[in-house]
Amino acid sequence: MVRYAEPGAVEWVESGGGPLIAVPETVLPFWAGADGDETASDYDRACEIEDHVGLLPVGDSAALVFGDEPASTSYLADHNTFVRWCAADSEDELLAGVPAALATAEWEQEVRWDVPGTVVLFDAAWPGHDSTRADHVRVALPPGPYAVRAAQVQPGPETWLGLVQLRRLPG
């Protein structure tokens, strides 16, 4: 697999060309990825998400699909944000642009995501039970409802990134 994000300050997850997905650990066994005998696999369903983010039912929960493009993605807990590396000369340059990007982002409409706890970010083609055998990041989230919003931002002349921010809702 070609690596676009070099190892550095944060852990990046990449895909083989399709969407990335964040699946709650409690329902990982129900995500079949590209496997299965169905007419449309879970991976096919994830590929149908045309927006920057979307939700797909998985077991008794939902997975967050990162649509649009297969950009290297990491989670920055201090910003409650998944950052997607679209263009930058270095990881340092990309990460330095995050605060400005968050301050100037023109956010798309939010979706509500009910999270039962920790989620695993990985390539949607992988079955959930194999997700930890490939690039993946575990994101410890307190259980509860979240507002999820996305934006594409250019914080510098040669730096483009995607943002997927989580905001905990009361309840």
Side-chain angles (χ1 to χ4, degrees), residues 23-26 61 113-120 138-144 146:
V23 179
E25 275 187 333
T26 59
S61 191
W113 187 26
D114 292 313
V115 178
T118 298
V119 300
V120 180
R138 288 182 76 245
V139 178
L141 296 174
Y146 289 81

Side-chain angles (χ1 to χ4, degrees), residues 41-136:
S41 68
D42 287 341
Y43 176 75
D44 292 332
R45 292 186 310 131
C47 288
E48 291 175 5
I49 302 294
E50 294 179 4
D51 295 328
H52 291 110
V53 293
L55 298 174
L56 285 179
V58 179
D60 63 356
S61 191
L64 182 66
V65 178
F66 297 78
D68 187 39
E69 63 179 64
S72 299
T73 302
S74 188
Y75 184 73
L76 303 181
D78 53 335
H79 296 290
N80 296 319
T81 301
F82 290 95
V83 176
R84 312 202 68 211
W85 186 327
C86 300
D89 288 331
S90 69
E91 180 181 76
D92 289 341
E93 180 181 303
L94 181 95
L95 295 175
V98 170
L102 287 166
T104 61
E106 293 183 23
W107 300 100
E108 297 174 359
Q109 185 170 342
E110 293 181 341
V111 296
R112 180 189 164 113
W113 187 26
D114 292 313
V115 178
T118 298
V119 300
V120 180
L121 174 70
F122 61 98
D123 185 332
W126 284 90
H129 63 277
D130 285 337
S131 62
T132 58
R133 292 185 184 175
D135 281 356
H136 73 283

